Amino acid sequence: MDHVKTYNAMEIKHKNGDIIVEGPIHADQLATLDFHEDLVAFRPHAQQHKALIEIAGLPEGRIIIVRELNEIVGYVTYVYPDPLERWSEGNIPNLIELGAIEVIPKFRGGGVGKALLKVSMMDDAMNDYIVITTEYYWHWDLKGTGLNVWEYRKVMEKMMNAGDLEYFATDDPEISSHPANCLMARIGKRIKPETIQQFDNLRFQSRFMY
């Protein structure tokens, strides 16, 4: 399918400084921006900056960033699901995954995470996609936030709701391994019924689920 990417932006007057949430950002533009040293949730910040540049260069890859002047202080990524995961098995060409979302501690709170989701979905092309996110409690920053599993899950769900992602049931073993884990998704307005059926078949693969 044609991977159209239309730039959108939102300015935020945060208590800790003015920031811009914008994207999708091209790989060459990402390479010219500084990358905050506190963005280390997934790998060292220099390696993560390189990973984002690579993702932005993929046909389906989308990166929305939070920028303070010339420095990236937050981001969200959208890519095809990992080939080793269930969500790639259905060969649904317009299913993409919210792979990572991160904001530095200075700018947490104040709706920055929600703004990343809102700006992502401002692009009309997102109505041609099923967007999923798989949330596992062991990826959450429980220590840094001081929240327990259920408090964090509530915050995470509210943030995802800002991008119109909703809870979807599934029998995926990894998600089912803990009650706080969950699958959330947004089904674009132009998704065909047969594609939704393919997605439903991916969500439930056990013949013993009723």
Side-chain angles (χ1 to χ4, degrees):
M1 62 180 295
D2 186 20
H3 298 284
V4 179
K5 301 175 185 179
T6 305
Y7 172 88
N8 290 283
M10 178 189 297
E11 293 185 27
I12 296 179
K13 300 285 186 182
H14 194 277
K15 65 179 181 180
N16 292 326
D18 294 347
I19 50 179
I20 293 176
V21 180
E22 60 182 349
I25 300 293
H26 292 290
D28 53 358
Q29 187 179 357
L30 274 172
T32 67
L33 296 171
D34 297 325
F35 198 75
H36 199 282
E37 61 183 14
D38 287 343
L39 293 171
V40 292
F42 300 95
R43 52 178 70 84
H45 77 281
Q47 291 180 28
Q48 186 64 2
H49 190 193
K50 184 180 177 183
L52 293 194
I53 293 168
E54 290 174 357
I55 290 169
L58 297 172
E60 86 285 1
R62 290 168 181 266
I63 306 288
I64 312 298
I65 63 167
V66 185
R67 179 172 57 81
E68 183 182 33
L69 300 176
N70 198 53
E71 186 169 51
I72 297 170
V73 294
Y75 62 86
V76 61
T77 71
Y78 297 89
V79 288
Y80 283 142
D82 189 307
L84 298 177
E85 291 186 345
R86 166 185 293 203
W87 312 106
S88 66
E89 294 173 6
N91 296 317
I92 304 174
N94 47 350
L95 188 150
I96 56 174
E97 183 169 15
L98 190 165
I101 184 166
E102 186 178 9
V103 177
I104 66 169
K106 176 183 175 182
F107 288 112
R108 286 181 191 164
V112 178
K114 289 181 179 179
L116 276 168
L117 273 293
K118 287 178 180 175
V119 172
S120 300
M121 303 310 167
M122 283 179 182
D123 189 348
D124 180 66
M126 293 301 259
N127 285 309
D128 293 318
Y129 290 96
I130 296 176
V131 180
I132 67 164
T133 179
T134 50
E135 294 294 333
Y136 306 112
Y137 81 90
W138 49 83
H139 289 164
W140 298 343
D141 185 16
L142 301 176
K143 185 177 179 181
T145 58
L147 301 175
N148 66 35
V149 167
W150 296 108
E151 290 167 338
Y152 198 105
R153 158 81 182 259
K154 194 171 183 180
V155 169
M156 182 277 302
E157 278 202 68
K158 281 187 176 180
M159 182 173 66
M160 296 299 170
N161 289 159
D164 296 326
L165 279 88
E166 302 174 1
Y167 172 85
F168 279 78
T170 179
D171 63 4
D172 178 74
E174 204 165 9
I175 292 175
S176 303
S177 68
H178 191 281
N181 296 343
C182 68
L183 169 70
M184 299 188 74
R186 177 187 188 270
I187 297 176
K189 294 175 184 175
R190 290 188 292 272
I191 295 296
K192 296 176 180 177
E194 54 266 34
T195 306
I196 296 174
Q197 184 61 55
Q198 284 180 282
F199 178 52
D200 290 343
N201 293 341
L202 272 185
R203 290 194 297 122
F204 293 105
Q205 293 186 355
S206 171
R207 70 177 69 184
F208 302 111
M209 291 294 290
Y210 294 99

